[in-house]
């Protein structure tokens, strides 16, 4: 089958809820992926930061194979020998006290919403069904009805109502707006440390620190969605460390399995998690031994290969390279660690054309919100790889 045949099959038989670049991949290793015609590309999306450890990491593969041959699923009706060790290792790496394992990122977000509401009623004393959660404009937290209900992106929410009540939306990066929005019924503030899907939007310095203070002062649970920013992407294990704070609840997912398996988790510092009693929440696959074993190795790889530190160093180098590009249509170049973006003036006619040209040049990127290209390669990238990439990127983007 040729590229066109695969594309036709997808288009004919699949729902059209994505608009992928027309590249059909069948192999990956490290920062590289290959298409069905044998052409090689540098992956600058990393499956939205799910393959921070690089494609098909050999250590994670070994664990996946060994655990798959031993035991894959017990359900939480019984215990398994991987879950406790996974808890111990992720708590150690992220300085957390409690863990609730789920599968997708959206499920972790839903878990947090349930948990902070329950905490609000049981601990904070919010009257029944009055709990409010504050979120930010231009957020991205996933695709369930509740989550898209508090999105401000018309594409994400339009046509899907009615939605779950109980959310208040404030501008991102505005600590005064947070303070003003808090009422006695506010149970939590849910925010991304850097808004990824919105186009790598970095809040003003001190924002998270101030948000931390405000939440503490008003007895509001601070929830950081680090599903994209976490696990090394921004040059720290968790992006909260850039401002020296600790969230009460932290969400991780994506790179938690290095791209092998859907694994997410809610990490808790404050003992908010203790409000959940047996039977009140769960997931058939959440915390299964295969997921836990894979996640344990994915975390070990981040640690042993110093990928967090590499992300910081390579991110700085990549950003310097991008800043050399001369194009009057570029509005802003920004990034933290290996989460980088080039935003074009709306007059440039959209970022998609550049992504298609980069594809021709052997670099896979995806536009976010029409005018921005995100660069987020696997964290195993080297200086030489960046030099190779920057030659191509500047040739395309300077055009
Ligand atoms: C990807 C993402 C999610 C949703 O994760 P899924 O696994 O796709 O459900 C939630 N929050 C953020 C910040 C994300 O980047």
């Amino acid at each position: 089958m040729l590229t066109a045949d695969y594309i036709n099959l997808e288009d004919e038989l699949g729902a059209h809820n994505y608009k992928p670049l027309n590249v059909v991949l069948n192999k990956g290793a490290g920062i590289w992926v290959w298409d069905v015609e044998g052409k090689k590309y540098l992956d600058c999306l990393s499956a939205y930061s799910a393959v921070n450890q690089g494609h098909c990491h050999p250590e994670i593969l070994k664990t996946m194979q060994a655990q798959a041959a031993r035991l894959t699923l017990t359900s939480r009706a019984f215990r398994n020998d991987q879950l406790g060790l996974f808890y111990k290792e992720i708590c150690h790496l992220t300085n957390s006290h409690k863990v609730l394992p789920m599968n997708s990122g959206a499920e972790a977000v839903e878990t947090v919403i349930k948990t902070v509401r329950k905490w609000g009623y049981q601990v904070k004393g919010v009257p029944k069904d009055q709990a409010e959660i504050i979120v930010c404009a231009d957020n991205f937290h996933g695709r369930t009805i509740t989550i898209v209900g508090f999105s401000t992106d018309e594409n994400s929410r339009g046509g899907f109502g009615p939605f779950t009540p109980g959310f208040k939306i404030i501008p991102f990066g505005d600590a005064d707006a947070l303070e003003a929005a808090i009422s006695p019924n506010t149970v939590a503030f849910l925010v991304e440390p850097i808004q990824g899907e919105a186009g790598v939007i970095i809040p003003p310095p001190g924002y998270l620190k101030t948000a931390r203070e405000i939440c503490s002062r008003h007895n509001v649970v601070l929830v950081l969605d680090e599903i994209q920013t976490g696990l090394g992407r921004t040059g720290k294990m968790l992006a909260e460390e850039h401002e020296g704070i600790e969230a009460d609840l932290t969400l991780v997912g994506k790179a938690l399995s290095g791209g092998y398996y859907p694994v997410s988790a809610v990490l808790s510092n404050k003992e908010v998690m203790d409000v959940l009693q047996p039977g009140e929440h769960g997931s058939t696959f959440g915390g299964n031994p295969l997921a836990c074993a894979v996640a344990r190795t994915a975390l070990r790889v981040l640690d042993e290969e110093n990928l967090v530190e590499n992300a910081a160093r390579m991110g700085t180098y990549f950003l310097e390279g991008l800043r050399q590009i001369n194009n009057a249509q570029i509005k802003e170049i920004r990034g933290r660690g290996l989460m980088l973006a080039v935003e074009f003036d709306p007059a440039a006619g959209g970022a998609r054309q550049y992504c298609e040209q980069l594809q021709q040049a052997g670099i896979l990127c995806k536009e976010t919100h029409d005018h921005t290209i995100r660069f987020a390669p696997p964290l195993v990238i080297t200086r030489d790889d960046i030099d190779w990439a920057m030659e191509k990127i500047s040739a395309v983007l300077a055009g």
Side-chain angles (χ1 to χ4, degrees), residues 52-53 57-67 82 85-86 88-94 231 237 255-258 291-308 379-380:
N52 285 0
Q53 297 86 340
H57 193 288
E59 286 298 309
I60 310 175
L61 175 64
K62 255 196 262 169
T63 298
M64 179 97 182
Q65 288 175 327
Q67 186 63 43
Q82 294 298 309
L85 294 170
F86 166 62
K88 183 175 156 196
E89 289 160 16
I90 197 169
C91 282
H92 176 71
L93 270 179
T94 62
L231 306 178
M237 182 57 77
L256 187 48
S257 72
C292 291
V294 163
R296 290 179 63 204
T297 303
L299 291 171
R300 181 163 60 76
V301 165
L302 284 179
D303 190 37
E304 284 180 0
E305 298 187 12
N306 293 315
L307 295 184
V308 180
L379 311 185
V380 295

Side-chain angles (χ1 to χ4, degrees), residues 234-314:
T234 71
K236 300 274 187 194
M237 182 57 77
L238 296 174
E240 66 175 16
E241 295 167 40
H242 289 290
E243 298 214 348
I245 63 154
E246 280 189 17
D248 298 304
L249 297 173
T250 301
L251 306 175
V252 290
K254 295 200 164 115
L256 187 48
S257 72
Y260 275 88
Y261 203 83
V263 189
S264 66
V266 179
L267 308 173
S268 176
N269 283 322
K270 211 174 162 189
E271 306 310 353
V272 179
M273 201 78 91
D274 284 346
V275 300
L276 292 180
Q277 297 297 313
E280 293 178 349
H281 190 61
S283 159
T284 302
F285 278 81
N288 75 70
L290 183 56
C292 291
V294 163
R296 290 179 63 204
T297 303
L299 291 171
R300 181 163 60 76
V301 165
L302 284 179
D303 190 37
E304 284 180 0
E305 298 187 12
N306 293 315
L307 295 184
V308 180
E309 196 196 331
N310 194 58
R313 278 188 292 117
M314 292 305 113

Side-chain angles (χ1 to χ4, degrees), residues 115-137:
T115 310
V116 297
R117 281 181 168 185
K118 191 104 195 286
W119 172 86
Y121 302 127
Q122 282 203 349
V123 180
K124 187 167 175 171
V126 173
K128 184 170 184 286
D129 291 347
Q130 298 299 305
E132 287 169 4
I133 296 171
I134 299 173
V135 298
C136 288

Side-chain angles (χ1 to χ4, degrees), residues 48 103-107 109 140-143 192 194 196-197 225-229 254:
Y48 300 95
N103 312 286
S104 69
E107 285 174 311
V109 175
F140 182 85
H141 297 290
R143 299 294 195 171
E192 300 156 82
I194 294 172
E197 293 317 292
D225 180 345
E226 297 238 25
I227 291 168
Q228 192 163 145
T229 54
K254 295 200 164 115

Side-chain angles (χ1 to χ4, degrees), residues 367-396:
E367 75 276 11
T368 71
H369 288 271
D370 294 346
H371 303 297
T372 301
I373 308 179
R374 169 177 27 196
F375 292 96
L379 311 185
V380 295
I381 198 165
T382 66
R383 264 179 108 88
D384 286 348
D385 300 326
I386 294 174
D387 289 340
W388 177 90
M390 203 52 67
E391 212 171 286
K392 321 243 165 201
I393 293 169
S394 31
V396 169

